[in-house]
Amino acid sequence: VVVACMHGAFGKKTDNPVLLVIGDSWGSYGWHDLQSVLKDKGSNLTVKSYARPGTTTADWAKKPDLVNQIVDENPTTAYVWLSIGGNDVIDFMPDCTKTKSVDDCIDIILPEAINNTQAFLDPMFADHPTMPVVQFGYDLPNLEENVLCRSIGEDVIYGCNDTASCINPQFVKLQYLYVDAMAKLYPNNLNSVNLLGSLQTADNYPGVSITNPDLSKWSPADLMESNCIHPTREDVLHPGEPAGFKIIFNNLWEAYFAKLE
């Protein structure tokens, strides 16, 4: 069902250069704020999102030609933002860590995620060998701001008991073991950007900088949605209020797109 629903875009039809969003809920929740940041920076990129909440690398690998088809249907595509991998962890780790060590579980899920990602990127790169893809390993969650978040924190890694200093060092491996590994597999195409610590830095956590978060603490609650894993979005009814996604994408602009100008 998920695969059947993945082919359909959010975003306007355009002849401008397009930034395609592929992947999970960080893409489907965040693409509006990405478009807002690009507009603020004077970019003529138009964001079109094909991302679907809850999807894993395995979901996208079930239809390996889909990403290539999406690029083909958008002939002015200039970039692809790939947001994927988080749900692989959320779906797999709770049960696995009940009977195996965290490292053993990572040794199982990591090669699966990498192989799945290659399965849907290889056809696209075969037909579009110069297409740039940008990927980053999210930012730290906040698993203590409400009952739902604490429930996720209790379950996601068995034995961590919703403790930031136990969960976060594993969470950041999405960046270091997965995203960075994908960039090494596609050195001419896939660009790994490290935005960890973006939200903590914006809230002036001591000793923190972008790429160097405090792993003993969560991202700030005021910049995270009540669903615990997504930054807040720009609110047209309350302009000027801080939006976590805009902080993320401003940092993405500085770390990646600005250097291409």
Side-chain angles (χ1 to χ4, degrees), residues 165-220:
S165 59
C166 183
I167 295 172
N168 281 338
Q170 307 307 323
F171 181 87
V172 298
K173 291 177 182 178
L174 278 165
Q175 177 72 46
Y176 303 129
L177 299 184
Y178 170 56
V179 176
D180 289 352
M182 295 308 306
K184 290 177 182 177
L185 288 171
Y186 301 104
N188 298 319
N189 298 92
L190 198 147
N191 303 275
S192 170
V193 178
N194 186 343
L195 300 179
L196 294 168
S198 289
L199 301 183
Q200 289 186 351
T201 300
D203 242 33
N204 299 310
Y205 282 35
V208 165
S209 60
I210 302 167
T211 74
N212 292 292
D214 183 343
L215 299 182
S216 71
K217 296 181 173 63
W218 303 115
S219 283

Side-chain angles (χ1 to χ4, degrees), residues 53-195:
T55 53
T56 64
T57 60
D59 291 323
W60 286 89
K62 288 173 185 174
K63 201 168 184 180
D65 293 323
L66 179 58
V67 174
N68 187 43
Q69 183 180 347
I70 290 170
V71 173
D72 285 342
E73 291 176 359
N74 292 274
T76 61
T77 299
Y79 303 96
V80 174
W81 167 34
L82 176 62
S83 175
I84 201 74
N87 292 309
D88 296 59
V89 171
I90 291 172
D91 290 353
F92 180 77
M93 293 298 279
D95 285 340
C96 183
T97 53
K98 288 178 182 177
T99 58
K100 295 180 176 66
S101 71
V102 172
D103 287 343
D104 285 346
C105 292
I106 290 173
D107 286 344
I108 296 170
I109 191 62
L110 179 62
E112 289 183 6
I114 290 173
N115 289 339
N116 288 335
T117 308
Q118 288 181 280
F120 64 79
L121 286 184
D122 281 350
M124 189 268 288
F125 286 138
D127 284 356
H128 304 275
T130 63
M131 180 62 64
V133 175
V134 62
Q135 187 176 14
F136 59 90
Y138 310 95
D139 198 359
L140 300 179
N142 184 306
L143 299 181
E144 69 174 4
E145 63 176 292
N146 58 44
V147 173
L148 170 64
C149 300
R150 291 190 291 273
S151 175
I152 295 172
E154 290 288 341
D155 291 340
V156 68
I157 297 177
Y158 184 78
C160 275
N161 300 318
D162 195 31
T163 305
S165 59
C166 183
I167 295 172
N168 281 338
Q170 307 307 323
F171 181 87
V172 298
K173 291 177 182 178
L174 278 165
Q175 177 72 46
Y176 303 129
L177 299 184
Y178 170 56
V179 176
D180 289 352
M182 295 308 306
K184 290 177 182 177
L185 288 171
Y186 301 104
N188 298 319
N189 298 92
L190 198 147
N191 303 275
S192 170
V193 178
N194 186 343
L195 300 179

